[in-house]
């Protein structure tokens, strides 16, 4: 049966034509609806406080009397006269270069090890991951005692083996390595994602490489590593993020190792020993919450911000293939 | 301009202006002293004591106060550190404390200059209390800043020399040293090395050795820390320089910094049962009057004695002085029950019986002139030595400063650098410390 | 050497190495556990074996005043925080993965920038607002409320996962007349389960062990402390109970370790699915 339309019949029009504009508006509303919590959150918890921090950095404010404008005084103080700023900056860079790198290498090594296990893989995975779940204060305390230069088991064993006994958390040359050991102990989170990536490498590629006569090392370099590149990039990014925020472990380690008793009237000594464990977040806390100097604390917060965003920009450029929007 | 561009501009400007506007209103939390102290109220009291015996002692004092003042109820919270105090005072609100007590005397300058605590002078005037006849000179000094008496002493601490009588007898020393040269000689005599460490150390001079700190030593020289203009005298005061030199000399004579540091890392917790003086790892120690109570509890067989810490040879006639500090108590400026709070603070700090009982209970030095002279104070000879130090006219303390103990940290850091050899030039270090202290104080104004 | 022997030797080598590593990893826990069972005096000495065993330390710790409150607070923070994070982050991740709109790239940059933002940068004004203007310091609200607005890290991971969902699934559902929200709920969400598990667990662990947040916002009110902050309360002005601190550590860690052990399959699968691995 054929249907015919006569030329004279009126064209049926939808009372509300769905024009492109209406559709776009609907889409825009829909987008807004989905994104609104995050938009609001970004405004409230990112943009607003950031502008506030910048504002306070130009004021003298102790939290009690209203802030007074002092221009660049706080900035000059932090960069020129504050003896803890530059050591903290150097330490942060040290941690980024050494701790992040070692964690990735070690996490990969442990991941490689665990994927080779068949029996009891679940148990091993839990053992290697569990330290990551330890409360940071407790883990640090445990390590400070294990690495106590005089009475700790590690030095006792080293001594019996005739090896040198480093001062660990009491020696400025060894305190950052000691913190790195603590961080390596908690490498579980990296291990898990490396494992996921390693398990995902197609077996055929390994077999093909083997057929071509490649040994284990070459297989690793040419088959495994390229597949791991996105994970490595991701680990570097998260590692740098964590390093920028590194706060609990160094502050607890410094306090406990120095024997400082909180609230006993003794002076708080930032970065024991000899400022070697100072990080920028600790200075924000010390200036803002202990020394009543919110202005200077905000200067350090701004430095932390610029530093983090710089790293973010660098890493995004490098890892752009991974983070691209399609 | 194009609609979208203008929209964007408006959005960006609003995004920036709004936060600025909000930042500017930082909110204030001010209390008042118009409350009726005879009305039925509950006040919140924060303090730093935490050991069971100490908490029981403060509770006894509170109970006695509530008996005398049945309309005022005191709710006490212990184990409070200064971080929490600072935060609570800034925030204000109903859960903020009315009366606060802290061990960190160094923060008094900050508390006063920022207005966190109220000036107690008007309250004392209204109650007819003359501070200069009620409290000793040093006690008043560490509780006020530039005339603002924002705290009062709530029991004091005095520092002296603890010595192990058995070790003294074994080394043939008949009485505790009075001058620093005697002290040095004794310390060397009492030191026995064992391999590359010690089996007994005469005295731990290193600045991390618990109470062996720059300010505790310095008191023996009666230094001035600031001149009349509030500038640091670190570079010019002869006492400070002499103290640093003396300490370095002690470090060198007793075996060198590294060896001492290694030995120090074997020390147990300062306030635990394994305190080095109590375990016999050191023969002499500088410590506060509370140590006696701990020895009695955890090391009752220790045969020890107490004496004032030795004085420099050229100040031998001032033997008997020592470093004075103490716990402080104040009224939060955010409190709305300041009159009721004052009744409590007045009782705590000036009621002789309350002060004496509390002092005896927690083994601290009473903090009023009357209490020091009271016959009810514990007459234990080891404790009496500290009472004498506290009452000695030459005993001194560290002055308050507007940025808390920051200047002490600076001097402390110099000490660490000098004793370890990191800073070989003491005068240059003192110069640097002085200018750092001045800059820090300028920053905090 | 025959390939079988070689394989056997390799098996032995790998396993012994794994056991050695595992022992090293477990050593600090052993120390924590042993210290937890010691008397206070013994806890700082070189005597590493408890003598005598103080099994009651665990009970004592549990009965420390406030301990059950910290436990409850930690649970509230972690559970509410995780739930709110997921509820608010999933739609955002979905929008960023599926919708095309002007400013999408900018939004993505903002997510990444927020991810890289240390909390210490903004903590001071945030604290001042919560404490001075809202008078909510000393409570858990400042910790939980921000999570109701999405968490950048979670958004990022979920979005990565959603990018791997083929368009055909979504288009097919839409042809059936479903709106975006329905597509999300009926089609995509069920597919996302492992990814949600992974992201949820990340957030849960983060909240459970968060120290900086509780230190800033709850320290003035012991009734609001969480376990990670309360741990250091066994340190008082004059004394530290190391044995009880370690006992508290064990009690605080137990649930998260158990959760991981039970959920590790889903966890790893989820990590895989978030496309982190590429």
């Amino acid at each position: 049966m054929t249907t015919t339309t006569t030329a004279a019949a009126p064209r049926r029009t939808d009372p509300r034509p769905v024009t492109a504009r209406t559709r776009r508006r609907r889409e825009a509303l829909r987008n807004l609806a989905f994104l609104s919590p995050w938009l609001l959150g970004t405004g409230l918890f990112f943009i607003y406080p950031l502008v506030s921090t910048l504002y306070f950095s130009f004021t003298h404010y102790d939290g009690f009397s209203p802030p007074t404008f002092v221009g660049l005084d706080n900035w000059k103080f932090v960069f020129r006269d504050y003896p803890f700023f530059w050591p903290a900056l150097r330490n942060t860079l040290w941690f980024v270069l050494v701790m992040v790198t070692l964690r990735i290498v070690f996490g990969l090594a442990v991941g490689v090890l665990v994927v080779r296990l068949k029996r009891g893989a679940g148990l091993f995975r839990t053992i290697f991951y569990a330290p990551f779940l330890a409360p940071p204060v407790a883990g640090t305390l445990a390590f400070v005692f294990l690495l106590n230069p005089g009475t700790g088991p590690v030095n006792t064993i080293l001594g019996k083996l005739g090896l040198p006994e480093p001062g660990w958390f009491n020696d400025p040359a060894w305190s950052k390595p000691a913190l790195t050991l603590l961080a390596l102990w908690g490498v579980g989170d990296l291990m898990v994602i490396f494992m996921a990536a390693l398990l995902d490498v197609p077996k055929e590629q390994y077999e093909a490489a083997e057929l071509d006569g490649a040994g284990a090392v070459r297989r690793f370099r040419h088959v495994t590593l390229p597949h791991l590149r996105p994970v490595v990039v991701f680990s570097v990014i998260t590692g740098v993020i964590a390093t920028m925020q590194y706060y609990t472990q160094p502050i607890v380690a410094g306090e406990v190792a120095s024997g400082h008793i909180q609230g006993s009237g003794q002076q708080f000594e930032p970065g024991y020993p000899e400022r070697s464990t100072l990080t920028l977040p600790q200075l924000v806390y010390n200036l803002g919450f202990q020394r009543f100097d919110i202005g200077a604390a905000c200067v350090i917060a701004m430095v932390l911000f610029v530093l983090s965003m710089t790293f973010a920009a660098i890493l995004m450029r490098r890892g752009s293939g991974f983070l691209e929007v399609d | 301009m194009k609609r979208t561009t203008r929209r964007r501009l408006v959005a960006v400007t609003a995004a920036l202006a709004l936060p600025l506007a909000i930042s500017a209103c930082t909110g204030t939390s001010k209390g008042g002293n118009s409350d009726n102290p005879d009305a039925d109220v509950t006040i919140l009291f924060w303090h730093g004591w935490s050991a069971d015996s100490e908490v029981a002692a403060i509770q006894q004092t509170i109970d006695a106060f509530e008996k005398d003042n049945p309309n005022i109820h005191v709710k006490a919270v212990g184990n409070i550190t200064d971080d929490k105090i600072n935060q609570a005072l800034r925030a204000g609100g109903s859960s903020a404390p009315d009366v606060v007590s802290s061990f960190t005397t160094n923060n008094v300058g900050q508390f006063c200059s920022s207005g966190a605590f109220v000036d107690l002078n008007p309250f004392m005037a209204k109650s007819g209390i003359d501070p200069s006849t009620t409290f000793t000179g040093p006690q008043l000094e560490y509780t006020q800043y530039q005339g603002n008496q924002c705290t009062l002493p709530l029991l004091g601490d005095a520092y002296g020399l603890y010595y192990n009588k058995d070790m003294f007898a074994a080394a043939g020393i008949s009485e505790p040293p009075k001058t620093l040269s005697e002290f040095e000689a004794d310390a060397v005599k009492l030191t026995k090395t064992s391999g590359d460490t010690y089996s007994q150390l005469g005295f731990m001079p290193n600045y991390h050795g618990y109470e062996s700190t720059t300010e505790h030593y310095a008191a023996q020289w009666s230094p001035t820390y600031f001149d009349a203009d509030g500038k640091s005298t670190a570079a010019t005061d002869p006492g400070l320089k002499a103290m640093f030199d003396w300490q370095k000399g002690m470090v060198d004579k007793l075996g060198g910094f590294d060896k001492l540091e290694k030995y120090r890392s074997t020390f147990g917790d300062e306030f635990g049962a394994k305190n080095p003086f109590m375990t016999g790892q050191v023969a002499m120690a500088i410590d506060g009057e509370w140590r006696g109570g701990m020895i009695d509890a955890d090391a009752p067989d220790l045969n020890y004695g107490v004496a004032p810490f030795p004085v420099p040879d050229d100040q031998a006639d001032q033997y008997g002085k020592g470093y004075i500090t103490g716990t402080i108590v104040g009224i939060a400026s955010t409190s709305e029950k300041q009159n009721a709070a004052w009744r409590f603070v007045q009782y705590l700090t000036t009621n002789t019986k309350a002060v004496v009982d509390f002092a005896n209970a927690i083994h601290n030095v009473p903090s009023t002139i009357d209490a020091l002279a009271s016959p009810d104070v514990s007459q234990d000879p080891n404790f009496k030595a500290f009472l004498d130090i506290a009452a000695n006219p030459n005993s001194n303390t560290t002055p308050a400063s507007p940025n808390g103990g920051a200047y002490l940290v600076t001097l402390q850091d110099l000490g660490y650098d000098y004793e370890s050899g990191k800073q070989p030039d003491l005068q240059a270090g003192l110069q640097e410390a002085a200018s750092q202290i001045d800059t820090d104080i300028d920053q905090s104004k | 050497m025959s390939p079988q022997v070689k394989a056997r030797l390799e098996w032995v080598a790998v396993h012994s190495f794994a056991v050695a590593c595992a022992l090293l990893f477990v050593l600090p826990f052993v120390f924590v556990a042993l210290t937890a069972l010691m008397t206070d005096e013994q806890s700082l000495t070189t005597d590493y074996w408890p003598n005598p065993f103080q099994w009651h330390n665990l009970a004592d710790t549990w009965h420390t005043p406030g301990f059950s409150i910290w436990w409850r607070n930690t649970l509230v923070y972690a559970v509410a925080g995780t739930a709110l994070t997921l509820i608010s982050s999933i739609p955002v991740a979905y929008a960023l993965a599926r919708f095309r709109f002007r400013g999408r790239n900018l939004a993505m940059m903002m997510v990444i920038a927020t991810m890289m933002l240390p909390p210490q940068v903004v903590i001071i004004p945030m604290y001042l607002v919560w404490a001075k203007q809202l008078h909510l310091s000393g409570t858990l609200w400042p910790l939980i409320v921000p999570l109701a607005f999405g968490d950048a890290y979670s958004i990022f991971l979920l979005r990565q996962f959603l990018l791997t969902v083929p368009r055909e699934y979504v288009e097919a559902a839409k042809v059936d007349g479903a709106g975006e929200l329905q597509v999300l709920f009926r089609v995509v969400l069920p597919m996302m389960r492992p990814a949600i598990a992974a992201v949820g667990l990340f957030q849960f662990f983060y909240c459970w062990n968060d120290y900086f947040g509780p230190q800033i916002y709850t320290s003035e009110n012991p009734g609001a402390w969480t376990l990670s902050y309360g741990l250091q309360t066994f340190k008082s002005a004059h004394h530290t109970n190391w044995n009880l601190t370690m006992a508290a550590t064990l009690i605080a860690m137990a649930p998260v370790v158990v959760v991981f052990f039970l959920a590790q399959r889903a966890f790893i699968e989820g990590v895989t699915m978030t496309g982190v691995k590429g």
Side-chain angles (χ1 to χ4, degrees), chain B residues 37 120-130 134 339 342-347 350:
Chain B
L120 295 172
N121 277 319
F123 289 96
M124 285 196 283
K126 246 204 286 182
S127 302
I129 296 179
D130 178 5
T134 317
N339 287 324
W342 168 246
R343 287 258 175 97
F344 182 52
V345 170
Q346 182 185 2
Y347 183 84
T350 60

PDB file of all heavy atoms in Angstrom, chain B residues 37 120-130 134 339 342-347 350:
ATOM      1  N   PRO B  37      28.812  37.260  89.145  1.00  0.00           N
ATOM      2  CA  PRO B  37      29.546  36.109  89.670  1.00  0.00           C
ATOM      3  C   PRO B  37      28.798  35.370  90.769  1.00  0.00           C
ATOM      4  O   PRO B  37      29.224  34.312  91.193  1.00  0.00           O
ATOM      5  CB  PRO B  37      30.836  36.724  90.216  1.00  0.00           C
ATOM      6  CG  PRO B  37      30.479  38.123  90.528  1.00  0.00           C
ATOM      7  CD  PRO B  37      29.411  38.539  89.568  1.00  0.00           C
ATOM      8  N   LEU B 120      44.551  40.879  83.877  1.00  0.00           N
ATOM      9  CA  LEU B 120      43.982  40.577  85.190  1.00  0.00           C
ATOM     10  C   LEU B 120      44.184  41.704  86.196  1.00  0.00           C
ATOM     11  O   LEU B 120      43.695  41.611  87.325  1.00  0.00           O
ATOM     12  CB  LEU B 120      44.594  39.273  85.727  1.00  0.00           C
ATOM     13  CG  LEU B 120      44.235  38.043  84.882  1.00  0.00           C
ATOM     14  CD1 LEU B 120      45.025  36.834  85.341  1.00  0.00           C
ATOM     15  CD2 LEU B 120      42.757  37.738  84.966  1.00  0.00           C
ATOM     16  N   ASN B 121      44.900  42.745  85.788  1.00  0.00           N
ATOM     17  CA  ASN B 121      45.145  43.840  86.730  1.00  0.00           C
ATOM     18  C   ASN B 121      43.849  44.459  87.278  1.00  0.00           C
ATOM     19  O   ASN B 121      43.718  44.629  88.481  1.00  0.00           O
ATOM     20  CB  ASN B 121      46.036  44.910  86.082  1.00  0.00           C
ATOM     21  CG  ASN B 121      47.508  44.546  86.169  1.00  0.00           C
ATOM     22  OD1 ASN B 121      47.968  44.050  87.192  1.00  0.00           O
ATOM     23  ND2 ASN B 121      48.239  44.768  85.100  1.00  0.00           N
ATOM     24  N   PRO B 122      42.880  44.782  86.397  1.00  0.00           N
ATOM     25  CA  PRO B 122      41.624  45.346  86.923  1.00  0.00           C
ATOM     26  C   PRO B 122      40.929  44.398  87.907  1.00  0.00           C
ATOM     27  O   PRO B 122      40.369  44.818  88.904  1.00  0.00           O
ATOM     28  CB  PRO B 122      40.775  45.561  85.666  1.00  0.00           C
ATOM     29  CG  PRO B 122      41.686  45.478  84.525  1.00  0.00           C
ATOM     30  CD  PRO B 122      42.882  44.722  84.937  1.00  0.00           C
ATOM     31  N   PHE B 123      40.972  43.094  87.593  1.00  0.00           N
ATOM     32  CA  PHE B 123      40.322  42.131  88.475  1.00  0.00           C
ATOM     33  C   PHE B 123      41.000  42.122  89.844  1.00  0.00           C
ATOM     34  O   PHE B 123      40.340  42.062  90.880  1.00  0.00           O
ATOM     35  CB  PHE B 123      40.367  40.728  87.864  1.00  0.00           C
ATOM     36  CG  PHE B 123      39.465  40.541  86.676  1.00  0.00           C
ATOM     37  CD1 PHE B 123      39.963  40.688  85.388  1.00  0.00           C
ATOM     38  CD2 PHE B 123      38.132  40.233  86.838  1.00  0.00           C
ATOM     39  CE1 PHE B 123      39.135  40.531  84.287  1.00  0.00           C
ATOM     40  CE2 PHE B 123      37.293  40.070  85.740  1.00  0.00           C
ATOM     41  CZ  PHE B 123      37.797  40.229  84.472  1.00  0.00           C
ATOM     42  N   MET B 124      42.339  42.146  89.812  1.00  0.00           N
ATOM     43  CA  MET B 124      43.062  42.119  91.083  1.00  0.00           C
ATOM     44  C   MET B 124      42.787  43.385  91.881  1.00  0.00           C
ATOM     45  O   MET B 124      42.601  43.336  93.095  1.00  0.00           O
ATOM     46  CB  MET B 124      44.566  41.955  90.826  1.00  0.00           C
ATOM     47  CG  MET B 124      44.932  40.550  90.423  1.00  0.00           C
ATOM     48  SD  MET B 124      46.694  40.205  90.546  1.00  0.00           S
ATOM     49  CE  MET B 124      47.282  41.034  89.075  1.00  0.00           C
ATOM     50  N   ALA B 125      42.723  44.517  91.188  1.00  0.00           N
ATOM     51  CA  ALA B 125      42.449  45.769  91.875  1.00  0.00           C
ATOM     52  C   ALA B 125      41.090  45.713  92.558  1.00  0.00           C
ATOM     53  O   ALA B 125      40.943  46.074  93.732  1.00  0.00           O
ATOM     54  CB  ALA B 125      42.505  46.927  90.886  1.00  0.00           C
ATOM     55  N   LYS B 126      40.097  45.209  91.818  1.00  0.00           N
ATOM     56  CA  LYS B 126      38.754  45.120  92.398  1.00  0.00           C
ATOM     57  C   LYS B 126      38.727  44.220  93.619  1.00  0.00           C
ATOM     58  O   LYS B 126      37.968  44.428  94.558  1.00  0.00           O
ATOM     59  CB  LYS B 126      37.774  44.575  91.340  1.00  0.00           C
ATOM     60  CG  LYS B 126      36.715  45.596  90.925  1.00  0.00           C
ATOM     61  CD  LYS B 126      35.456  44.984  90.385  1.00  0.00           C
ATOM     62  CE  LYS B 126      35.629  44.426  88.982  1.00  0.00           C
ATOM     63  NZ  LYS B 126      34.386  43.875  88.436  1.00  0.00           N
ATOM     64  N   SER B 127      39.556  43.174  93.592  1.00  0.00           N
ATOM     65  CA  SER B 127      39.548  42.238  94.714  1.00  0.00           C
ATOM     66  C   SER B 127      40.543  42.634  95.788  1.00  0.00           C
ATOM     67  O   SER B 127      40.741  41.893  96.742  1.00  0.00           O
ATOM     68  CB  SER B 127      39.874  40.828  94.225  1.00  0.00           C
ATOM     69  OG  SER B 127      38.962  40.413  93.255  1.00  0.00           O
ATOM     70  N   GLY B 128      41.193  43.742  95.598  1.00  0.00           N
ATOM     71  CA  GLY B 128      42.106  44.210  96.630  1.00  0.00           C
ATOM     72  C   GLY B 128      43.394  43.413  96.722  1.00  0.00           C
ATOM     73  O   GLY B 128      43.960  43.265  97.802  1.00  0.00           O
ATOM     74  N   ILE B 129      43.861  42.892  95.610  1.00  0.00           N
ATOM     75  CA  ILE B 129      45.101  42.112  95.637  1.00  0.00           C
ATOM     76  C   ILE B 129      46.219  42.949  95.046  1.00  0.00           C
ATOM     77  O   ILE B 129      46.095  43.498  93.954  1.00  0.00           O
ATOM     78  CB  ILE B 129      44.945  40.816  94.814  1.00  0.00           C
ATOM     79  CG1 ILE B 129      43.880  39.929  95.455  1.00  0.00           C
ATOM     80  CG2 ILE B 129      46.261  40.065  94.748  1.00  0.00           C
ATOM     81  CD1 ILE B 129      43.646  38.663  94.695  1.00  0.00           C
ATOM     82  N   ASP B 130      47.314  43.044  95.788  1.00  0.00           N
ATOM     83  CA  ASP B 130      48.477  43.757  95.273  1.00  0.00           C
ATOM     84  C   ASP B 130      49.466  42.718  94.756  1.00  0.00           C
ATOM     85  O   ASP B 130      50.075  41.992  95.544  1.00  0.00           O
ATOM     86  CB  ASP B 130      49.107  44.591  96.389  1.00  0.00           C
ATOM     87  CG  ASP B 130      50.357  45.317  95.914  1.00  0.00           C
ATOM     88  OD1 ASP B 130      50.669  45.252  94.696  1.00  0.00           O
ATOM     89  OD2 ASP B 130      51.018  45.944  96.751  1.00  0.00           O
ATOM     90  N   THR B 134      52.082  39.778  96.645  1.00  0.00           N
ATOM     91  CA  THR B 134      51.522  38.434  96.640  1.00  0.00           C
ATOM     92  C   THR B 134      52.450  37.443  95.960  1.00  0.00           C
ATOM     93  O   THR B 134      52.613  36.310  96.405  1.00  0.00           O
ATOM     94  CB  THR B 134      50.166  38.427  95.912  1.00  0.00           C
ATOM     95  OG1 THR B 134      49.419  39.565  96.309  1.00  0.00           O
ATOM     96  CG2 THR B 134      49.397  37.169  96.197  1.00  0.00           C
ATOM     97  N   ASN B 339      33.748  37.261  85.360  1.00  0.00           N
ATOM     98  CA  ASN B 339      33.741  37.523  86.799  1.00  0.00           C
ATOM     99  C   ASN B 339      33.732  36.224  87.579  1.00  0.00           C
ATOM    100  O   ASN B 339      34.442  36.064  88.563  1.00  0.00           O
ATOM    101  CB  ASN B 339      32.537  38.399  87.175  1.00  0.00           C
ATOM    102  CG  ASN B 339      32.739  39.818  86.727  1.00  0.00           C
ATOM    103  OD1 ASN B 339      33.851  40.348  86.764  1.00  0.00           O
ATOM    104  ND2 ASN B 339      31.672  40.456  86.289  1.00  0.00           N
ATOM    105  N   TRP B 342      37.066  34.735  87.318  1.00  0.00           N
ATOM    106  CA  TRP B 342      38.065  35.376  88.177  1.00  0.00           C
ATOM    107  C   TRP B 342      38.001  34.822  89.600  1.00  0.00           C
ATOM    108  O   TRP B 342      39.020  34.630  90.251  1.00  0.00           O
ATOM    109  CB  TRP B 342      37.886  36.892  88.182  1.00  0.00           C
ATOM    110  CG  TRP B 342      38.681  37.553  89.260  1.00  0.00           C
ATOM    111  CD1 TRP B 342      38.201  38.217  90.341  1.00  0.00           C
ATOM    112  CD2 TRP B 342      40.112  37.547  89.412  1.00  0.00           C
ATOM    113  NE1 TRP B 342      39.223  38.658  91.145  1.00  0.00           N
ATOM    114  CE2 TRP B 342      40.411  38.254  90.599  1.00  0.00           C
ATOM    115  CE3 TRP B 342      41.166  37.025  88.663  1.00  0.00           C
ATOM    116  CZ2 TRP B 342      41.714  38.449  91.055  1.00  0.00           C
ATOM    117  CZ3 TRP B 342      42.471  37.222  89.115  1.00  0.00           C
ATOM    118  CH2 TRP B 342      42.729  37.923  90.300  1.00  0.00           C
ATOM    119  N   ARG B 343      36.767  34.576  90.091  1.00  0.00           N
ATOM    120  CA  ARG B 343      36.665  34.014  91.435  1.00  0.00           C
ATOM    121  C   ARG B 343      37.496  32.741  91.539  1.00  0.00           C
ATOM    122  O   ARG B 343      38.218  32.505  92.505  1.00  0.00           O
ATOM    123  CB  ARG B 343      35.201  33.662  91.764  1.00  0.00           C
ATOM    124  CG  ARG B 343      34.301  34.821  92.020  1.00  0.00           C
ATOM    125  CD  ARG B 343      34.054  35.028  93.520  1.00  0.00           C
ATOM    126  NE  ARG B 343      33.277  36.227  93.741  1.00  0.00           N
ATOM    127  CZ  ARG B 343      31.978  36.239  93.920  1.00  0.00           C
ATOM    128  NH1 ARG B 343      31.301  35.105  93.921  1.00  0.00           N
ATOM    129  NH2 ARG B 343      31.348  37.381  94.106  1.00  0.00           N
ATOM    130  N   PHE B 344      37.371  31.916  90.475  1.00  0.00           N
ATOM    131  CA  PHE B 344      38.084  30.643  90.469  1.00  0.00           C
ATOM    132  C   PHE B 344      39.591  30.869  90.374  1.00  0.00           C
ATOM    133  O   PHE B 344      40.377  30.279  91.123  1.00  0.00           O
ATOM    134  CB  PHE B 344      37.583  29.780  89.298  1.00  0.00           C
ATOM    135  CG  PHE B 344      38.220  28.426  89.226  1.00  0.00           C
ATOM    136  CD1 PHE B 344      38.246  27.586  90.318  1.00  0.00           C
ATOM    137  CD2 PHE B 344      38.790  27.987  88.035  1.00  0.00           C
ATOM    138  CE1 PHE B 344      38.834  26.329  90.247  1.00  0.00           C
ATOM    139  CE2 PHE B 344      39.375  26.725  87.950  1.00  0.00           C
ATOM    140  CZ  PHE B 344      39.400  25.903  89.063  1.00  0.00           C
ATOM    141  N   VAL B 345      39.998  31.750  89.460  1.00  0.00           N
ATOM    142  CA  VAL B 345      41.428  31.996  89.274  1.00  0.00           C
ATOM    143  C   VAL B 345      42.017  32.582  90.556  1.00  0.00           C
ATOM    144  O   VAL B 345      43.113  32.205  90.987  1.00  0.00           O
ATOM    145  CB  VAL B 345      41.654  32.956  88.092  1.00  0.00           C
ATOM    146  CG1 VAL B 345      43.106  33.406  88.035  1.00  0.00           C
ATOM    147  CG2 VAL B 345      41.270  32.275  86.796  1.00  0.00           C
ATOM    148  N   GLN B 346      41.267  33.487  91.171  1.00  0.00           N
ATOM    149  CA  GLN B 346      41.753  34.098  92.404  1.00  0.00           C
ATOM    150  C   GLN B 346      41.993  33.027  93.461  1.00  0.00           C
ATOM    151  O   GLN B 346      43.011  33.029  94.155  1.00  0.00           O
ATOM    152  CB  GLN B 346      40.732  35.114  92.892  1.00  0.00           C
ATOM    153  CG  GLN B 346      41.146  35.834  94.140  1.00  0.00           C
ATOM    154  CD  GLN B 346      40.042  36.753  94.642  1.00  0.00           C
ATOM    155  OE1 GLN B 346      38.949  36.810  94.071  1.00  0.00           O
ATOM    156  NE2 GLN B 346      40.318  37.469  95.700  1.00  0.00           N
ATOM    157  N   TYR B 347      41.061  32.114  93.582  1.00  0.00           N
ATOM    158  CA  TYR B 347      41.195  31.032  94.553  1.00  0.00           C
ATOM    159  C   TYR B 347      42.412  30.180  94.247  1.00  0.00           C
ATOM    160  O   TYR B 347      43.224  29.887  95.108  1.00  0.00           O
ATOM    161  CB  TYR B 347      39.929  30.188  94.541  1.00  0.00           C
ATOM    162  CG  TYR B 347      39.938  29.077  95.559  1.00  0.00           C
ATOM    163  CD1 TYR B 347      39.553  29.322  96.873  1.00  0.00           C
ATOM    164  CD2 TYR B 347      40.309  27.786  95.213  1.00  0.00           C
ATOM    165  CE1 TYR B 347      39.558  28.302  97.821  1.00  0.00           C
ATOM    166  CE2 TYR B 347      40.324  26.770  96.147  1.00  0.00           C
ATOM    167  CZ  TYR B 347      39.945  27.023  97.443  1.00  0.00           C
ATOM    168  OH  TYR B 347      39.956  26.020  98.377  1.00  0.00           O
ATOM    169  N   THR B 350      45.775  32.544  94.739  1.00  0.00           N
ATOM    170  CA  THR B 350      46.147  33.323  95.925  1.00  0.00           C
ATOM    171  C   THR B 350      45.697  32.710  97.238  1.00  0.00           C
ATOM    172  O   THR B 350      46.212  33.094  98.281  1.00  0.00           O
ATOM    173  CB  THR B 350      45.560  34.744  95.841  1.00  0.00           C
ATOM    174  OG1 THR B 350      44.135  34.645  95.774  1.00  0.00           O
ATOM    175  CG2 THR B 350      46.083  35.480  94.633  1.00  0.00           C
TER     176      THR B 350
END
